[in-house]
Amino acid sequence: MTEMPATMRQLRSLVTPGGELHLSIAAVDTPRPAEREVLVRVEAAPINPSDLGLLLAMADVSQAVEGGSPDEPSVTAPIAEPVMRSLAARVGDAMPVGNEGAGVVVAAGESPEAEALLGRTVGFLGGATFGEYCLASSRMCLPLPEGANAVDGASAFVNPLTALGMVETMRREGHTGLVHTAAASNLGQMLNRICLADGVPLVNIVRRPEQAALLREHGAVHVCDSSEPSFERDLVAALRDTRATLAFDAVGGGRLAGQILNAMEAAIVAADAPYSRYGSDVHKQVYVYGALDPRPIELRRRFGFAWGVGGWLLMPFLARTSREDLERLRGRVADELTTTFASHYTHEITLRDTLDVPTLQRCARQATGQKFLLRPQR
Amino acid sequence: MTEMPATMRQLRSLVTPGGELHLSIAAVDTPRPAEREVLVRVEAAPINPSDLGLLLAMADVSQAVEGGSPDEPSVTAPIAEPVMRSLAARVGDAMPVGNEGAGVVVAAGESPEAEALLGRTVGFLGGATFGEYCLASSRMCLPLPEGANAVDGASAFVNPLTALGMVETMRREGHTGLVHTAAASNLGQMLNRICLADGVPLVNIVRRPEQAALLREHGAVHVCDSSEPSFERDLVAALRDTRATLAFDAVGGGRLAGQILNAMEAAIVAADAPYSRYGSDVHKQVYVYGALDPRPIELRRRFGFAWGVGGWLLMPFLARTSREDLERLRGRVADELTTTFASHYTHEITLRDTLDVPTLQRCARQATGQKFLLRPQR
């Protein structure tokens, strides 16, 4: 077993009873893997939109201030009263953060599957990857292929398996095309590459002209910009071409989910079809997998009765996936790690940098084209 | 074959290009059954909420006026401009109306299953039951048991199979309790009797104290009145008791569906549970089967990611039901026609009465406790 320190540094996110977010770097005992677990020395961890909810606790980061001492720095930011009510269960609990990352396996439990990973560089799903070391289930490790390093493998789980999971879900539920919102995101670009490679018709919905241009440069066939006055017409036309009846929506607030359902119905019902007060019998589905817009979801029903809107998350999808299917998906990620599933980072930051207010504020903006990579060993 | 007239009277609903609803009684050829069909002399047909959408075309019935001549009476009422856009496909088409009814089979196609019904009194699903005669598929006829008459059997399809379909859906999708909105309706009272008989925990949501009292008189255990200031608390308490995770919602507009999902989540998550930003992993489902409230559905998400809202209708449910299961459900309706599945009518009206403006306006109100039965032979 590699020599490793008794204690390690780890980013912690605390909500105080007084209504403040408090971020700090804790010195904690380096954990020991259980039978089927491994310990990874984290070399790189992406800061994903899915990490920000836990990290920032919906605090008002524009009012963040640095505190603590040079040896024990911290950041605090106020949390609005209505938000505090939804956070009751985490008040007082300094939580570790970080869904995924990559690094070297430096210790392993006694099971063969854990021991087989010792010394390998792996991408992995953790839950505390924003620290120097992190435990992982051996099942949630992806040994990186020859020639790939930890930066290549840092985002090997969440976005690749989410994008592949969308296409898998489409096939399992009998749809033949997809709609994706916030489509210029890192995840959206990945999904676009998968759909182009697999011949799956995809309608990309974006919010700005430059995002539409970016996707078109990358070969996207159908791009609809919701900032255009012709958006609803464009969407119906794209849905007529693609016959897509399943959407994955990262926005999850406002009218967009309902607009998609109404456009799907308009694309399905022929102009000269006989009147039916129940609408078409083609099932139209929107899965909401994010919450970029915190407003209520507003559904204006002109889409008949064959419809559904629901939540979708990666982990429950993986739990419904057979071992063989999961192996197939992971194999594809490994094979195409630096092509289809390549992620690009605009900033590399250290653990200490996460407590720098301007850096934290840039992280929090979730702007398209900006992506942060944490390097905990630096 | 029984002697029958060459022509018959039938209620027709027409939307004019100028934006008016026009109701009239047409004299049409008496239709002849195809191989697997029968012709029913309609003795009784209920005016269900599900008939009113087609019959009234969302016209402003408060402005209805009588017209035509004593021999050919009619009623007209204005339709608002935004509504007209959704009715484009039916403009100029004088449509027959009426989903179900009961009467005597007076002619049958050549198939054995059709011929076997000749002379029987049946409840049936039609599509044009608001007339003197109506065709029906032999599969959609329920021969009434000994001693039951057409009035007993007039509502043997839509409400009984909808209520049974809700309980079947609950079992098929792995839930163990139900929530029902507009629960004091004829359908709601039926569902309450089924759930009491079958030991299925049921949370009844109503909008007025007298509706709550009515259901409690009928043995309902959990009744929540949305007009009470304590509604949301009451709902969480009832959901804690019942563990119901599936709701059927006839309202389909405003905040109710979201309130139900949030109350389900609050009932599932223990007060001392560890914080999860993704919510519980228990799937919570609302099926919308009506549109009593025409406003948009507004979902305020505090219910995590394991949720779904979708449309539900009787006919697609029946299409997903095996022949054996359908026989079982129909058998139960026949056995319990005058008990569990009894319907009570407050008004019996003739075809001519449907063109009487005050009568039509009372029909349109869909008030709980008021139910109209059409007697086309009178």
Side-chain angles (χ1 to χ4, degrees):
Chain A
M1 233 161 90
T2 318
E3 198 74 8
M4 79 196 84
T7 63
M8 53 173 259
R9 295 182 311 145
Q10 189 180 64
L11 185 63
R12 291 289 178 110
S13 169
L14 169 72
V15 173
T16 68
E20 269 190 341
L21 170 70
H22 183 88
L23 299 179
S24 62
I25 294 168
V28 299
D29 289 346
T30 307
R32 297 180 151 273
E35 190 184 354
R36 289 193 169 75
E37 286 180 337
V38 297
L39 183 72
V40 183
R41 187 179 67 226
V42 184
E43 307 286 348
I47 300 180
N48 286 323
S50 54
D51 294 310
L52 293 175
L54 186 63
L55 178 67
L56 302 178
M58 291 170 277
D60 181 358
V61 179
S62 72
Q63 295 190 51
V65 291
E66 286 173 41
S69 64
D71 279 356
E72 293 187 357
S74 65
V75 167
T76 57
I79 301 173
E81 173 57 33
V83 173
M84 276 302 289
R85 268 174 266 148
S86 69
L87 299 175
R90 60 169 289 192
V91 168
D93 187 7
M95 304 180 79
V97 191
N99 284 322
E100 68 177 334
V104 179
V105 174
V106 293
E110 286 151 23
S111 70
E113 61 267 37
E115 283 197 333
L117 293 168
L118 208 51
R120 298 290 303 264
T121 299
V122 298
F124 72 106
L125 212 53
T129 62
F130 297 176
E132 292 177 311
Y133 294 85
C134 182
L135 290 177
S137 154
S138 53
R139 193 168 179 252
M140 290 301 161
C141 289
L142 181 75
L144 298 186
E146 201 66 36
N149 61 31
V151 173
D152 296 326
S155 295
F157 263 88
V158 176
N159 280 349
L161 289 179
T162 299
L164 288 171
M166 291 172 178
V167 178
E168 286 287 302
T169 300
M170 177 197 82
R171 294 195 177 114
R172 283 184 201 170
E173 300 186 6
H175 303 272
T176 57
L178 285 174
V179 177
H180 189 222
T181 71
S185 66
N186 196 288
L187 171 63
Q189 295 181 38
M190 238 175 237
L191 182 64
N192 182 49
R193 289 192 290 266
I194 295 169
C195 288
L196 287 173
D198 292 11
V200 172
L202 171 67
V203 178
N204 296 280
I205 297 177
V206 297
R207 285 175 287 188
R208 287 201 302 276
E210 60 270 29
Q211 296 169 332
L214 173 84
L215 281 166
R216 288 208 180 90
E217 264 172 48
H218 293 187
V221 181
H222 300 282
V223 186
C224 299
D225 179 350
S226 60
S227 71
E228 297 281 350
S230 61
F231 172 61
E232 294 197 352
R233 275 201 318 281
D234 297 345
L235 188 54
V236 172
L239 289 166
R240 251 190 216 122
D241 278 358
T242 56
R243 312 306 284 176
T245 48
L246 175 61
F248 283 89
D249 174 31
V251 177
R255 295 189 187 174
L256 186 57
Q259 284 177 313
I260 292 169
L261 289 172
N262 283 323
M264 284 176 176
E265 180 74 355
I268 288 163
V269 177
D272 59 350
Y275 174 73
S276 164
R277 66 197 178 286
Y278 297 128
S280 77
D281 58 2
V282 178
H283 185 77
K284 301 160 290 292
Q285 180 71 40
V286 176
Y287 284 123
V288 177
Y289 74 95
L292 292 177
D293 185 335
R295 290 177 301 164
I297 296 173
E298 189 183 320
L299 304 172
R300 300 179 169 245
R301 296 166 67 188
R302 293 190 304 272
F303 41 71
F305 277 84
W307 64 280
V309 176
W312 193 93
L313 282 180
L314 176 59
M315 294 310 291
F317 164 77
L318 292 179
R320 290 191 301 270
T321 299
S322 70
R323 180 182 295 263
E324 295 71 40
D325 284 345
L326 185 58
E327 277 314 300
R328 176 171 50 82
L329 300 181
R330 288 161 43 119
R332 181 166 180 184
V333 175
D335 290 348
E336 304 172 25
L337 190 63
T338 56
T339 54
T340 311
F341 301 107
S343 288
H344 300 287
Y345 306 97
T346 50
H347 305 77
E348 295 203 354
I349 62 175
T350 67
L351 270 175
R352 178 66 187 80
D353 292 336
T354 61
L355 303 185
D356 172 66
V357 165
T359 301
L360 191 67
Q361 287 169 339
R362 273 201 300 273
C363 270
R365 262 205 302 279
Q366 303 188 45
T368 300
Q370 297 239 347
K371 190 139 179 95
F372 287 74
L373 185 68
L374 183 66
R375 305 297 304 265
Q377 305 299 329
R378 293 192 175 169
Chain B
M1 233 160 90
T2 318
E3 197 75 10
M4 80 196 83
T7 63
M8 53 171 258
R9 295 183 311 145
Q10 188 181 62
L11 185 62
R12 292 289 178 109
S13 171
L14 169 72
V15 173
T16 69
E20 270 192 340
L21 170 71
H22 182 88
L23 299 179
S24 64
I25 295 168
V28 300
D29 289 346
T30 307
R32 296 180 152 274
E35 191 184 353
R36 288 191 170 77
E37 287 180 337
V38 297
L39 183 71
V40 183
R41 188 178 68 225
V42 184
E43 307 285 348
I47 301 180
N48 287 323
S50 54
D51 294 312
L52 293 175
L54 186 62
L55 178 66
L56 302 177
M58 291 169 277
D60 182 358
V61 180
S62 72
Q63 295 191 53
V65 292
E66 286 173 40
S69 65
D71 279 355
E72 292 186 358
S74 65
V75 168
T76 55
I79 301 174
E81 173 56 32
V83 173
M84 276 302 289
R85 266 174 269 148
S86 69
L87 298 175
R90 62 169 288 193
V91 167
D93 186 7
M95 303 179 80
V97 191
N99 284 322
E100 68 177 335
V104 179
V105 174
V106 294
E110 286 150 25
S111 69
E113 62 268 35
E115 284 198 332
L117 293 168
L118 208 52
R120 297 290 304 264
T121 299
V122 298
F124 72 106
L125 212 54
T129 63
F130 296 177
E132 292 177 310
Y133 295 84
C134 183
L135 291 177
S137 155
S138 53
R139 191 168 180 251
M140 290 300 161
C141 289
L142 181 75
L144 298 185
E146 201 65 36
N149 62 31
V151 173
D152 296 326
S155 296
F157 263 88
V158 176
N159 280 349
L161 289 180
T162 299
L164 288 172
M166 291 172 178
V167 178
E168 286 286 303
T169 300
M170 177 196 83
R171 294 195 177 114
R172 284 184 202 170
E173 300 187 5
H175 302 273
T176 57
L178 284 174
V179 178
H180 189 220
T181 72
S185 66
N186 196 287
L187 171 63
Q189 294 180 39
M190 241 175 233
L191 182 64
N192 182 48
R193 290 192 291 268
I194 294 169
C195 288
L196 287 172
D198 293 10
V200 172
L202 172 66
V203 178
N204 296 279
I205 297 178
V206 297
R207 284 174 288 186
R208 288 200 301 275
E210 60 270 29
Q211 296 170 331
L214 173 85
L215 281 166
R216 288 208 180 89
E217 263 171 47
H218 293 188
V221 182
H222 300 282
V223 186
C224 299
D225 179 352
S226 60
S227 71
E228 298 281 350
S230 60
F231 172 61
E232 294 197 352
R233 276 202 316 280
D234 298 346
L235 188 54
V236 172
L239 289 166
R240 255 192 210 119
D241 278 0
T242 56
R243 312 305 287 177
T245 48
L246 175 62
F248 283 90
D249 174 32
V251 178
R255 296 190 186 172
L256 187 57
Q259 285 177 312
I260 293 169
L261 289 173
N262 282 323
M264 285 176 175
E265 180 74 356
I268 288 162
V269 178
D272 59 350
Y275 174 73
S276 164
R277 66 198 179 285
Y278 297 128
S280 77
D281 59 1
V282 178
H283 185 77
K284 301 160 289 292
Q285 180 71 38
V286 175
Y287 283 124
V288 177
Y289 73 95
L292 293 177
D293 185 334
R295 291 177 300 164
I297 297 173
E298 189 183 320
L299 305 173
R300 300 179 170 245
R301 295 166 70 188
R302 292 190 303 272
F303 40 71
F305 277 84
W307 65 280
V309 175
W312 192 94
L313 281 181
L314 176 59
M315 295 309 291
F317 164 77
L318 293 179
R320 289 190 303 269
T321 300
S322 70
R323 181 182 295 263
E324 296 71 40
D325 283 345
L326 184 58
E327 277 315 299
R328 176 171 51 82
L329 300 181
R330 288 161 44 118
R332 180 166 181 183
V333 175
D335 290 348
E336 304 173 25
L337 190 63
T338 57
T339 53
T340 310
F341 301 107
S343 287
H344 300 286
Y345 307 98
T346 50
H347 304 78
E348 296 202 352
I349 62 175
T350 66
L351 270 175
R352 177 66 186 80
D353 292 337
T354 61
L355 303 185
D356 174 65
V357 165
T359 302
L360 191 68
Q361 288 168 339
R362 273 201 300 275
C363 271
R365 261 204 303 279
Q366 304 186 45
T368 299
Q370 297 238 349
K371 189 139 178 96
F372 287 74
L373 186 68
L374 183 66
R375 305 298 303 266
Q377 305 299 327
R378 293 194 175 165

